Amino acid sequence: MFSSEKIEFDKEVTILKALGSKIEKHPHLITLLATFKHKSKYHLVFPYANANLRKYWEDQPLPNFDEAN
């Protein structure tokens, strides 16, 4: 995940850091592993996800909003 907007990047990092230990205990929140800047892009690094949210939304434009999904 990356952004070219420093202010938006910093906001996201601040939120992820504030959640801290809550993220580790919650099955639906992901842990931030690292951040870095390469050229003009700011990057957030998360654990590998064996899924593709964009593809899921394409396949299921109106998913059921239940615990399984």
Short mmCIF file of all heavy atoms in Angstrom, two decimals:
data_model
loop_
_atom_site.label_atom_id
_atom_site.label_comp_id
_atom_site.label_asym_id
_atom_site.label_seq_id
_atom_site.Cartn_x
_atom_site.Cartn_y
_atom_site.Cartn_z
N MET A 1 0.85 -1.15 0.00
CA MET A 1 0.00 0.00 0.00
C MET A 1 0.90 1.22 0.00
O MET A 1 1.87 1.28 0.74
CB MET A 1 -0.85 -0.03 1.27
CG MET A 1 -2.04 0.81 1.22
SD MET A 1 -3.10 0.35 2.61
CE MET A 1 -3.85 1.91 2.87
N PHE A 2 0.58 2.20 -0.85
CA PHE A 2 1.44 3.38 -0.91
C PHE A 2 0.64 4.64 -1.18
O PHE A 2 -0.51 4.59 -1.61
CB PHE A 2 2.54 3.21 -1.97
CG PHE A 2 2.01 3.14 -3.37
CD1 PHE A 2 1.81 4.29 -4.10
CD2 PHE A 2 1.73 1.93 -3.96
CE1 PHE A 2 1.32 4.24 -5.39
CE2 PHE A 2 1.24 1.86 -5.24
CZ PHE A 2 1.04 3.02 -5.96
N SER A 3 1.25 5.77 -0.92
CA SER A 3 0.64 7.08 -1.14
C SER A 3 1.74 8.07 -1.50
O SER A 3 2.87 7.94 -1.07
CB SER A 3 -0.07 7.55 0.13
OG SER A 3 -0.52 8.88 -0.02
N SER A 4 1.38 9.06 -2.28
CA SER A 4 2.32 10.14 -2.56
C SER A 4 2.02 11.36 -1.69
O SER A 4 2.74 12.35 -1.74
CB SER A 4 2.27 10.52 -4.05
OG SER A 4 0.96 10.89 -4.40
N GLU A 5 0.99 11.28 -0.87
CA GLU A 5 0.58 12.37 0.01
C GLU A 5 1.13 12.15 1.42
O GLU A 5 0.64 11.28 2.15
CB GLU A 5 -0.94 12.48 0.06
CG GLU A 5 -1.58 12.76 -1.29
CD GLU A 5 -1.24 14.13 -1.82
OE1 GLU A 5 -1.11 15.09 -1.01
OE2 GLU A 5 -1.09 14.26 -3.04
N LYS A 6 2.13 12.90 1.81
CA LYS A 6 2.77 12.74 3.12
C LYS A 6 1.79 12.93 4.27
O LYS A 6 1.79 12.16 5.23
CB LYS A 6 3.94 13.73 3.26
CG LYS A 6 4.56 13.75 4.64
CD LYS A 6 5.86 13.03 4.69
CE LYS A 6 6.61 13.24 5.98
NZ LYS A 6 6.29 12.31 7.02
N ILE A 7 0.93 13.94 4.18
CA ILE A 7 -0.02 14.21 5.28
C ILE A 7 -0.97 13.03 5.48
O ILE A 7 -1.19 12.58 6.61
CB ILE A 7 -0.80 15.51 5.01
CG1 ILE A 7 0.15 16.71 5.10
CG2 ILE A 7 -1.96 15.66 5.98
CD1 ILE A 7 -0.46 18.02 4.66
N GLU A 8 -1.51 12.48 4.39
CA GLU A 8 -2.42 11.34 4.50
C GLU A 8 -1.69 10.10 5.00
O GLU A 8 -2.22 9.33 5.80
CB GLU A 8 -3.10 11.06 3.16
CG GLU A 8 -4.02 12.17 2.70
CD GLU A 8 -5.10 12.51 3.73
OE1 GLU A 8 -5.71 11.58 4.28
OE2 GLU A 8 -5.31 13.71 3.97
N PHE A 9 -0.48 9.92 4.54
CA PHE A 9 0.35 8.80 5.00
C PHE A 9 0.58 8.90 6.51
O PHE A 9 0.40 7.93 7.25
CB PHE A 9 1.68 8.81 4.24
CG PHE A 9 2.64 7.76 4.70
CD1 PHE A 9 2.52 6.45 4.28
CD2 PHE A 9 3.69 8.08 5.56
CE1 PHE A 9 3.41 5.47 4.69
CE2 PHE A 9 4.59 7.11 5.97
CZ PHE A 9 4.45 5.81 5.54
N ASP A 10 0.97 10.08 6.98
CA ASP A 10 1.23 10.28 8.40
C ASP A 10 -0.02 10.05 9.24
O ASP A 10 0.06 9.47 10.33
CB ASP A 10 1.78 11.68 8.66
CG ASP A 10 3.21 11.85 8.19
OD1 ASP A 10 3.90 10.83 7.97
OD2 ASP A 10 3.65 13.01 8.03
N LYS A 11 -1.18 10.45 8.74
CA LYS A 11 -2.44 10.22 9.46
C LYS A 11 -2.68 8.72 9.62
O LYS A 11 -3.06 8.25 10.70
CB LYS A 11 -3.61 10.83 8.70
CG LYS A 11 -3.73 12.32 8.81
CD LYS A 11 -4.95 12.79 8.04
CE LYS A 11 -5.01 14.28 7.88
NZ LYS A 11 -6.17 14.69 7.07
N GLU A 12 -2.51 7.98 8.54
CA GLU A 12 -2.73 6.53 8.59
C GLU A 12 -1.78 5.85 9.56
O GLU A 12 -2.18 5.01 10.36
CB GLU A 12 -2.57 5.94 7.19
CG GLU A 12 -2.98 4.51 7.07
CD GLU A 12 -4.47 4.28 7.14
OE1 GLU A 12 -5.25 5.24 6.94
OE2 GLU A 12 -4.86 3.13 7.42
N VAL A 13 -0.51 6.23 9.53
CA VAL A 13 0.47 5.66 10.45
C VAL A 13 0.11 5.99 11.89
O VAL A 13 0.18 5.12 12.78
CB VAL A 13 1.90 6.14 10.10
CG1 VAL A 13 2.90 5.74 11.18
CG2 VAL A 13 2.33 5.60 8.75
N THR A 14 -0.30 7.21 12.15
CA THR A 14 -0.70 7.63 13.50
C THR A 14 -1.86 6.78 14.01
O THR A 14 -1.86 6.32 15.16
CB THR A 14 -1.08 9.12 13.52
OG1 THR A 14 0.06 9.88 13.12
CG2 THR A 14 -1.55 9.56 14.89
N ILE A 15 -2.85 6.55 13.16
CA ILE A 15 -4.01 5.74 13.56
C ILE A 15 -3.58 4.30 13.85
O ILE A 15 -3.97 3.72 14.87
CB ILE A 15 -5.09 5.77 12.45
CG1 ILE A 15 -5.71 7.16 12.38
CG2 ILE A 15 -6.15 4.69 12.69
CD1 ILE A 15 -6.55 7.39 11.14
N LEU A 16 -2.77 3.73 12.96
CA LEU A 16 -2.32 2.35 13.17
C LEU A 16 -1.50 2.21 14.45
O LEU A 16 -1.64 1.23 15.19
CB LEU A 16 -1.53 1.87 11.96
CG LEU A 16 -2.37 1.64 10.70
CD1 LEU A 16 -1.48 1.51 9.48
CD2 LEU A 16 -3.26 0.44 10.86
N LYS A 17 -0.66 3.18 14.73
CA LYS A 17 0.13 3.14 15.97
C LYS A 17 -0.74 3.32 17.20
O LYS A 17 -0.52 2.69 18.23
CB LYS A 17 1.23 4.20 15.93
CG LYS A 17 2.37 3.84 15.01
CD LYS A 17 3.46 4.89 15.04
CE LYS A 17 4.63 4.50 14.15
NZ LYS A 17 5.69 5.52 14.17
N ALA A 18 -1.76 4.18 17.12
CA ALA A 18 -2.66 4.41 18.24
C ALA A 18 -3.46 3.16 18.58
O ALA A 18 -3.73 2.88 19.74
CB ALA A 18 -3.61 5.57 17.95
N LEU A 19 -3.82 2.38 17.55
CA LEU A 19 -4.55 1.14 17.79
C LEU A 19 -3.66 0.09 18.45
O LEU A 19 -4.15 -0.75 19.20
CB LEU A 19 -5.13 0.62 16.48
CG LEU A 19 -6.27 1.44 15.90
CD1 LEU A 19 -6.64 0.91 14.52
CD2 LEU A 19 -7.48 1.43 16.81
N GLY A 20 -2.37 0.14 18.11
CA GLY A 20 -1.36 -0.71 18.74
C GLY A 20 -1.78 -2.10 19.12
O GLY A 20 -2.04 -2.94 18.28
N SER A 21 -1.86 -2.37 20.40
CA SER A 21 -2.13 -3.72 20.90
C SER A 21 -3.54 -4.20 20.56
O SER A 21 -3.78 -5.39 20.51
CB SER A 21 -1.93 -3.78 22.41
OG SER A 21 -2.84 -2.92 23.06
N LYS A 22 -4.47 -3.29 20.31
CA LYS A 22 -5.83 -3.69 19.94
C LYS A 22 -5.81 -4.43 18.61
O LYS A 22 -6.60 -5.34 18.39
CB LYS A 22 -6.75 -2.48 19.85
CG LYS A 22 -6.99 -1.82 21.18
CD LYS A 22 -7.84 -0.58 21.03
CE LYS A 22 -7.92 0.12 22.37
NZ LYS A 22 -8.58 1.40 22.30
N ILE A 23 -4.93 -4.02 17.71
CA ILE A 23 -4.83 -4.66 16.40
C ILE A 23 -4.42 -6.12 16.56
O ILE A 23 -4.98 -7.00 15.91
CB ILE A 23 -3.83 -3.91 15.49
CG1 ILE A 23 -4.42 -2.57 15.08
CG2 ILE A 23 -3.47 -4.73 14.26
CD1 ILE A 23 -3.48 -1.69 14.28
N GLU A 24 -3.45 -6.38 17.41
CA GLU A 24 -2.95 -7.74 17.59
C GLU A 24 -4.01 -8.68 18.13
O GLU A 24 -3.97 -9.88 17.89
CB GLU A 24 -1.73 -7.72 18.51
CG GLU A 24 -0.55 -7.00 17.91
CD GLU A 24 0.59 -6.82 18.91
OE1 GLU A 24 0.54 -7.42 19.99
OE2 GLU A 24 1.53 -6.08 18.58
N LYS A 25 -4.97 -8.15 18.85
CA LYS A 25 -6.00 -8.98 19.48
C LYS A 25 -7.27 -9.09 18.63
O LYS A 25 -8.16 -9.84 18.97
CB LYS A 25 -6.36 -8.41 20.85
CG LYS A 25 -5.20 -8.43 21.82
CD LYS A 25 -5.56 -7.75 23.11
CE LYS A 25 -4.34 -7.66 24.01
NZ LYS A 25 -4.58 -6.86 25.20
N HIS A 26 -7.38 -8.34 17.55
CA HIS A 26 -8.61 -8.31 16.76
C HIS A 26 -8.42 -9.05 15.44
O HIS A 26 -7.49 -8.75 14.70
CB HIS A 26 -9.03 -6.86 16.50
CG HIS A 26 -10.45 -6.74 16.08
ND1 HIS A 26 -10.87 -7.12 14.83
CD2 HIS A 26 -11.53 -6.30 16.74
CE1 HIS A 26 -12.17 -6.91 14.74
NE2 HIS A 26 -12.60 -6.41 15.88
N PRO A 27 -9.29 -10.00 15.12
CA PRO A 27 -9.12 -10.80 13.90
C PRO A 27 -9.34 -10.03 12.60
O PRO A 27 -8.96 -10.50 11.53
CB PRO A 27 -10.14 -11.92 14.06
CG PRO A 27 -11.20 -11.33 14.93
CD PRO A 27 -10.47 -10.40 15.88
N HIS A 28 -9.96 -8.85 12.67
CA HIS A 28 -10.28 -8.12 11.45
C HIS A 28 -9.39 -6.89 11.24
O HIS A 28 -9.63 -6.10 10.33
CB HIS A 28 -11.75 -7.71 11.43
CG HIS A 28 -12.67 -8.89 11.48
ND1 HIS A 28 -12.80 -9.78 10.43
CD2 HIS A 28 -13.47 -9.35 12.47
CE1 HIS A 28 -13.65 -10.72 10.76
NE2 HIS A 28 -14.06 -10.49 11.99
N LEU A 29 -8.40 -6.71 12.08
CA LEU A 29 -7.47 -5.59 11.92
C LEU A 29 -6.09 -6.15 11.63
O LEU A 29 -5.70 -7.18 12.17
CB LEU A 29 -7.44 -4.72 13.18
CG LEU A 29 -8.75 -4.05 13.55
CD1 LEU A 29 -8.62 -3.31 14.87
CD2 LEU A 29 -9.22 -3.10 12.47
N ILE A 30 -5.35 -5.46 10.81
CA ILE A 30 -4.04 -5.96 10.37
C ILE A 30 -2.92 -5.14 11.00
O ILE A 30 -3.04 -3.94 11.17
CB ILE A 30 -3.95 -5.98 8.84
CG1 ILE A 30 -2.75 -6.75 8.37
CG2 ILE A 30 -3.99 -4.59 8.27
CD1 ILE A 30 -2.83 -7.19 6.94
N THR A 31 -1.84 -5.80 11.33
CA THR A 31 -0.69 -5.17 11.98
C THR A 31 0.22 -4.49 10.96
O THR A 31 0.58 -5.09 9.94
CB THR A 31 0.12 -6.23 12.74
OG1 THR A 31 -0.73 -6.87 13.69
CG2 THR A 31 1.29 -5.61 13.47
N LEU A 32 0.59 -3.27 11.23
CA LEU A 32 1.56 -2.56 10.41
C LEU A 32 2.95 -3.07 10.75
O LEU A 32 3.37 -3.04 11.90
CB LEU A 32 1.48 -1.05 10.69
CG LEU A 32 2.48 -0.16 9.96
CD1 LEU A 32 2.25 -0.20 8.45
CD2 LEU A 32 2.38 1.27 10.47
N LEU A 33 3.66 -3.57 9.73
CA LEU A 33 5.00 -4.12 9.97
C LEU A 33 6.09 -3.07 9.81
O LEU A 33 7.07 -3.08 10.56
CB LEU A 33 5.27 -5.27 9.01
CG LEU A 33 4.38 -6.50 9.14
CD1 LEU A 33 4.74 -7.52 8.07
CD2 LEU A 33 4.48 -7.10 10.53
N ALA A 34 5.94 -2.21 8.81
CA ALA A 34 6.99 -1.23 8.54
C ALA A 34 6.45 -0.11 7.65
O ALA A 34 5.40 -0.25 7.03
CB ALA A 34 8.17 -1.90 7.85
N THR A 35 7.19 0.99 7.61
CA THR A 35 6.90 2.09 6.69
C THR A 35 8.22 2.51 6.04
O THR A 35 9.28 2.33 6.63
CB THR A 35 6.30 3.31 7.42
OG1 THR A 35 7.25 3.82 8.34
CG2 THR A 35 5.02 2.95 8.15
N PHE A 36 8.12 3.02 4.82
CA PHE A 36 9.31 3.55 4.18
C PHE A 36 8.93 4.48 3.03
O PHE A 36 7.79 4.46 2.57
CB PHE A 36 10.24 2.44 3.69
CG PHE A 36 9.67 1.58 2.57
CD1 PHE A 36 9.96 1.87 1.25
CD2 PHE A 36 8.87 0.50 2.86
CE1 PHE A 36 9.45 1.08 0.23
CE2 PHE A 36 8.35 -0.30 1.86
CZ PHE A 36 8.65 0.00 0.53
N LYS A 37 9.87 5.28 2.62
CA LYS A 37 9.69 6.16 1.47
C LYS A 37 10.67 5.74 0.39
O LYS A 37 11.86 5.53 0.65
CB LYS A 37 9.97 7.61 1.86
CG LYS A 37 9.79 8.57 0.69
CD LYS A 37 10.10 10.00 1.10
CE LYS A 37 9.97 10.92 -0.11
NZ LYS A 37 10.41 12.28 0.19
N HIS A 38 10.16 5.57 -0.81
CA HIS A 38 10.99 5.24 -1.96
C HIS A 38 10.63 6.23 -3.06
O HIS A 38 9.47 6.28 -3.49
CB HIS A 38 10.76 3.82 -2.42
CG HIS A 38 11.55 3.44 -3.63
ND1 HIS A 38 12.92 3.31 -3.60
CD2 HIS A 38 11.17 3.18 -4.90
CE1 HIS A 38 13.34 2.97 -4.80
NE2 HIS A 38 12.29 2.90 -5.61
N LYS A 39 11.63 7.01 -3.47
CA LYS A 39 11.41 8.09 -4.43
C LYS A 39 10.36 9.02 -3.86
O LYS A 39 10.53 9.55 -2.78
CB LYS A 39 11.09 7.55 -5.81
CG LYS A 39 12.25 6.72 -6.37
CD LYS A 39 12.00 6.29 -7.78
CE LYS A 39 13.20 5.47 -8.24
NZ LYS A 39 13.09 5.02 -9.59
N SER A 40 9.22 9.21 -4.52
CA SER A 40 8.22 10.15 -4.00
C SER A 40 7.02 9.45 -3.38
O SER A 40 6.00 10.08 -3.12
CB SER A 40 7.75 11.08 -5.13
OG SER A 40 7.14 10.32 -6.15
N LYS A 41 7.11 8.15 -3.14
CA LYS A 41 5.99 7.38 -2.59
C LYS A 41 6.29 6.92 -1.17
O LYS A 41 7.37 6.46 -0.87
CB LYS A 41 5.72 6.15 -3.46
CG LYS A 41 5.41 6.45 -4.90
CD LYS A 41 3.95 6.63 -5.11
CE LYS A 41 3.70 6.70 -6.60
NZ LYS A 41 2.59 7.45 -6.96
N TYR A 42 5.26 7.02 -0.33
CA TYR A 42 5.33 6.54 1.06
C TYR A 42 4.62 5.19 1.11
O TYR A 42 3.52 5.05 0.59
CB TYR A 42 4.65 7.54 2.00
CG TYR A 42 5.33 8.87 1.99
CD1 TYR A 42 4.95 9.87 1.10
CD2 TYR A 42 6.38 9.14 2.86
CE1 TYR A 42 5.59 11.10 1.08
CE2 TYR A 42 7.03 10.37 2.85
CZ TYR A 42 6.63 11.34 1.96
OH TYR A 42 7.27 12.55 1.95
N HIS A 43 5.25 4.21 1.73
CA HIS A 43 4.72 2.85 1.72
C HIS A 43 4.42 2.35 3.13
O HIS A 43 5.16 2.61 4.07
CB HIS A 43 5.74 1.91 1.07
CG HIS A 43 6.05 2.26 -0.34
ND1 HIS A 43 5.46 1.62 -1.41
CD2 HIS A 43 6.89 3.19 -0.87
CE1 HIS A 43 5.92 2.13 -2.53
NE2 HIS A 43 6.79 3.09 -2.23
N LEU A 44 3.34 1.58 3.22
CA LEU A 44 2.97 0.85 4.44
C LEU A 44 3.15 -0.63 4.12
O LEU A 44 2.71 -1.10 3.07
CB LEU A 44 1.50 1.10 4.80
CG LEU A 44 1.09 2.54 5.04
CD1 LEU A 44 -0.42 2.63 5.19
CD2 LEU A 44 1.77 3.08 6.27
N VAL A 45 3.78 -1.36 5.01
CA VAL A 45 4.00 -2.79 4.79
C VAL A 45 3.21 -3.57 5.84
O VAL A 45 3.34 -3.33 7.04
CB VAL A 45 5.51 -3.14 4.90
CG1 VAL A 45 5.72 -4.63 4.68
CG2 VAL A 45 6.32 -2.31 3.90
N PHE A 46 2.39 -4.50 5.33
CA PHE A 46 1.56 -5.34 6.18
C PHE A 46 1.89 -6.80 5.89
O PHE A 46 2.48 -7.12 4.86
CB PHE A 46 0.07 -5.11 5.86
CG PHE A 46 -0.40 -3.70 6.10
CD1 PHE A 46 -0.54 -2.81 5.06
CD2 PHE A 46 -0.70 -3.28 7.38
CE1 PHE A 46 -0.98 -1.52 5.28
CE2 PHE A 46 -1.14 -1.99 7.62
CZ PHE A 46 -1.28 -1.11 6.56
N PRO A 47 1.48 -7.73 6.77
CA PRO A 47 1.68 -9.15 6.49
C PRO A 47 0.97 -9.52 5.19
O PRO A 47 -0.04 -8.92 4.82
CB PRO A 47 1.02 -9.86 7.67
CG PRO A 47 0.97 -8.85 8.76
CD PRO A 47 0.83 -7.52 8.07
N TYR A 48 1.50 -10.53 4.51
CA TYR A 48 0.91 -11.02 3.27
C TYR A 48 -0.51 -11.50 3.51
O TYR A 48 -0.79 -12.24 4.47
CB TYR A 48 1.76 -12.16 2.71
CG TYR A 48 1.17 -12.79 1.47
CD1 TYR A 48 1.26 -12.16 0.24
CD2 TYR A 48 0.50 -14.00 1.55
CE1 TYR A 48 0.72 -12.73 -0.89
CE2 TYR A 48 -0.06 -14.58 0.42
CZ TYR A 48 0.04 -13.93 -0.80
OH TYR A 48 -0.51 -14.50 -1.91
N ALA A 49 -1.43 -11.11 2.64
CA ALA A 49 -2.82 -11.57 2.72
C ALA A 49 -3.06 -12.53 1.57
O ALA A 49 -2.77 -12.21 0.41
CB ALA A 49 -3.77 -10.39 2.64
N ASN A 50 -3.57 -13.67 1.87
CA ASN A 50 -3.87 -14.66 0.84
C ASN A 50 -5.26 -14.39 0.27
O ASN A 50 -6.13 -15.25 0.26
CB ASN A 50 -3.77 -16.07 1.41
CG ASN A 50 -3.79 -17.11 0.30
OD1 ASN A 50 -3.55 -16.79 -0.84
ND2 ASN A 50 -4.09 -18.34 0.66
N ALA A 51 -5.47 -13.14 -0.18
CA ALA A 51 -6.76 -12.74 -0.72
C ALA A 51 -6.58 -11.45 -1.51
O ALA A 51 -5.55 -10.80 -1.41
CB ALA A 51 -7.76 -12.53 0.41
N ASN A 52 -7.59 -11.10 -2.28
CA ASN A 52 -7.56 -9.89 -3.07
C ASN A 52 -8.91 -9.19 -2.91
O ASN A 52 -9.92 -9.63 -3.47
CB ASN A 52 -7.29 -10.23 -4.54
CG ASN A 52 -7.19 -9.01 -5.41
OD1 ASN A 52 -7.90 -8.03 -5.21
ND2 ASN A 52 -6.33 -9.08 -6.40
N LEU A 53 -8.94 -8.12 -2.13
CA LEU A 53 -10.19 -7.44 -1.83
C LEU A 53 -10.83 -6.86 -3.09
O LEU A 53 -12.04 -6.93 -3.26
CB LEU A 53 -9.95 -6.34 -0.79
CG LEU A 53 -11.19 -5.64 -0.25
CD1 LEU A 53 -12.18 -6.63 0.34
CD2 LEU A 53 -10.78 -4.61 0.80
N ARG A 54 -10.04 -6.31 -3.99
CA ARG A 54 -10.60 -5.75 -5.23
C ARG A 54 -11.32 -6.84 -6.03
O ARG A 54 -12.43 -6.64 -6.53
CB ARG A 54 -9.50 -5.12 -6.07
CG ARG A 54 -10.03 -4.41 -7.31
CD ARG A 54 -8.93 -3.79 -8.14
NE ARG A 54 -7.96 -3.08 -7.35
CZ ARG A 54 -7.96 -1.75 -7.15
NH1 ARG A 54 -8.90 -1.01 -7.69
NH2 ARG A 54 -7.02 -1.18 -6.42
N LYS A 55 -10.69 -8.02 -6.14
CA LYS A 55 -11.31 -9.13 -6.87
C LYS A 55 -12.59 -9.59 -6.16
O LYS A 55 -13.60 -9.88 -6.81
CB LYS A 55 -10.32 -10.29 -6.98
CG LYS A 55 -10.86 -11.52 -7.65
CD LYS A 55 -10.88 -11.37 -9.14
CE LYS A 55 -11.19 -12.69 -9.82
NZ LYS A 55 -12.48 -12.73 -10.47
N TYR A 56 -12.56 -9.64 -4.85
CA TYR A 56 -13.74 -10.04 -4.07
C TYR A 56 -14.91 -9.10 -4.37
O TYR A 56 -16.03 -9.53 -4.60
CB TYR A 56 -13.41 -10.03 -2.58
CG TYR A 56 -14.60 -10.33 -1.70
CD1 TYR A 56 -15.04 -11.64 -1.52
CD2 TYR A 56 -15.28 -9.30 -1.06
CE1 TYR A 56 -16.14 -11.92 -0.72
CE2 TYR A 56 -16.38 -9.57 -0.26
CZ TYR A 56 -16.81 -10.88 -0.09
OH TYR A 56 -17.89 -11.14 0.70
N TRP A 57 -14.65 -7.79 -4.38
CA TRP A 57 -15.71 -6.82 -4.66
C TRP A 57 -16.22 -6.94 -6.10
O TRP A 57 -17.40 -6.76 -6.36
CB TRP A 57 -15.22 -5.40 -4.42
CG TRP A 57 -15.13 -5.03 -2.97
CD1 TRP A 57 -15.83 -5.58 -1.93
CD2 TRP A 57 -14.31 -4.04 -2.40
NE1 TRP A 57 -15.47 -4.99 -0.75
CE2 TRP A 57 -14.54 -4.02 -1.01
CE3 TRP A 57 -13.38 -3.15 -2.92
CZ2 TRP A 57 -13.89 -3.17 -0.15
CZ3 TRP A 57 -12.73 -2.29 -2.05
CH2 TRP A 57 -12.99 -2.30 -0.69
N GLU A 58 -15.33 -7.26 -7.03
CA GLU A 58 -15.76 -7.46 -8.42
C GLU A 58 -16.67 -8.68 -8.52
O GLU A 58 -17.68 -8.65 -9.22
CB GLU A 58 -14.55 -7.64 -9.34
CG GLU A 58 -13.78 -6.36 -9.58
CD GLU A 58 -12.47 -6.59 -10.32
OE1 GLU A 58 -12.14 -7.76 -10.67
OE2 GLU A 58 -11.75 -5.59 -10.52
N ASP A 59 -16.31 -9.75 -7.82
CA ASP A 59 -17.08 -10.99 -7.86
C ASP A 59 -18.38 -10.89 -7.07
O ASP A 59 -19.36 -11.56 -7.40
CB ASP A 59 -16.26 -12.16 -7.33
CG ASP A 59 -15.08 -12.49 -8.22
OD1 ASP A 59 -15.05 -12.05 -9.39
OD2 ASP A 59 -14.17 -13.21 -7.74
N GLN A 60 -18.37 -10.09 -6.00
CA GLN A 60 -19.54 -9.96 -5.14
C GLN A 60 -19.83 -8.48 -4.87
O GLN A 60 -19.52 -7.98 -3.79
CB GLN A 60 -19.30 -10.69 -3.82
CG GLN A 60 -19.08 -12.17 -4.02
CD GLN A 60 -19.01 -12.89 -2.70
OE1 GLN A 60 -19.68 -12.52 -1.74
NE2 GLN A 60 -18.21 -13.94 -2.64
N PRO A 61 -20.42 -7.78 -5.84
CA PRO A 61 -20.64 -6.34 -5.66
C PRO A 61 -21.57 -6.00 -4.49
O PRO A 61 -21.48 -4.93 -3.93
CB PRO A 61 -21.24 -5.89 -6.99
CG PRO A 61 -21.65 -7.12 -7.69
CD PRO A 61 -20.88 -8.26 -7.12
N LEU A 62 -22.44 -6.93 -4.11
CA LEU A 62 -23.32 -6.72 -2.96
C LEU A 62 -23.18 -7.90 -2.00
O LEU A 62 -24.08 -8.72 -1.84
CB LEU A 62 -24.78 -6.59 -3.43
CG LEU A 62 -25.08 -5.39 -4.31
CD1 LEU A 62 -26.48 -5.47 -4.88
CD2 LEU A 62 -24.88 -4.10 -3.55
N PRO A 63 -22.03 -7.99 -1.30
CA PRO A 63 -21.82 -9.13 -0.39
C PRO A 63 -22.73 -9.06 0.82
O PRO A 63 -23.23 -8.00 1.19
CB PRO A 63 -20.36 -8.97 0.02
CG PRO A 63 -20.10 -7.51 -0.11
CD PRO A 63 -20.93 -7.04 -1.26
N ASN A 64 -22.93 -10.22 1.43
CA ASN A 64 -23.66 -10.26 2.70
C ASN A 64 -22.74 -9.71 3.78
O ASN A 64 -21.58 -10.10 3.86
CB ASN A 64 -24.03 -11.71 3.07
CG ASN A 64 -25.04 -12.26 2.10
OD1 ASN A 64 -25.91 -11.57 1.62
ND2 ASN A 64 -24.91 -13.55 1.80
N PHE A 65 -23.24 -8.84 4.58
CA PHE A 65 -22.43 -8.28 5.66
C PHE A 65 -22.71 -9.05 6.94
O PHE A 65 -23.38 -8.59 7.85
CB PHE A 65 -22.70 -6.78 5.83
CG PHE A 65 -22.16 -5.98 4.68
CD1 PHE A 65 -23.00 -5.52 3.69
CD2 PHE A 65 -20.81 -5.72 4.59
CE1 PHE A 65 -22.50 -4.80 2.62
CE2 PHE A 65 -20.29 -5.00 3.53
CZ PHE A 65 -21.14 -4.54 2.54
N ASP A 66 -22.20 -10.27 6.96
CA ASP A 66 -22.35 -11.13 8.12
C ASP A 66 -20.98 -11.53 8.63
O ASP A 66 -19.96 -11.17 8.05
CB ASP A 66 -23.21 -12.34 7.79
CG ASP A 66 -22.64 -13.18 6.65
OD1 ASP A 66 -21.45 -13.01 6.29
OD2 ASP A 66 -23.38 -14.01 6.11
N GLU A 67 -20.94 -12.28 9.71
CA GLU A 67 -19.67 -12.64 10.33
C GLU A 67 -18.76 -13.43 9.40
O GLU A 67 -17.55 -13.27 9.39
CB GLU A 67 -19.93 -13.44 11.60
CG GLU A 67 -18.68 -13.67 12.41
CD GLU A 67 -18.96 -14.31 13.75
OE1 GLU A 67 -20.02 -14.03 14.33
OE2 GLU A 67 -18.10 -15.08 14.22
N ALA A 68 -19.32 -14.28 8.55
CA ALA A 68 -18.52 -15.10 7.63
C ALA A 68 -17.78 -14.25 6.61
O ALA A 68 -16.69 -14.58 6.18
CB ALA A 68 -19.40 -16.12 6.94
N ASN A 69 -18.38 -13.16 6.19
CA ASN A 69 -17.75 -12.29 5.19
C ASN A 69 -16.96 -11.20 5.84
O ASN A 69 -16.18 -10.53 5.24
CB ASN A 69 -18.81 -11.69 4.25
CG ASN A 69 -19.34 -12.75 3.29
OD1 ASN A 69 -18.61 -13.61 2.86
ND2 ASN A 69 -20.61 -12.66 2.99
#
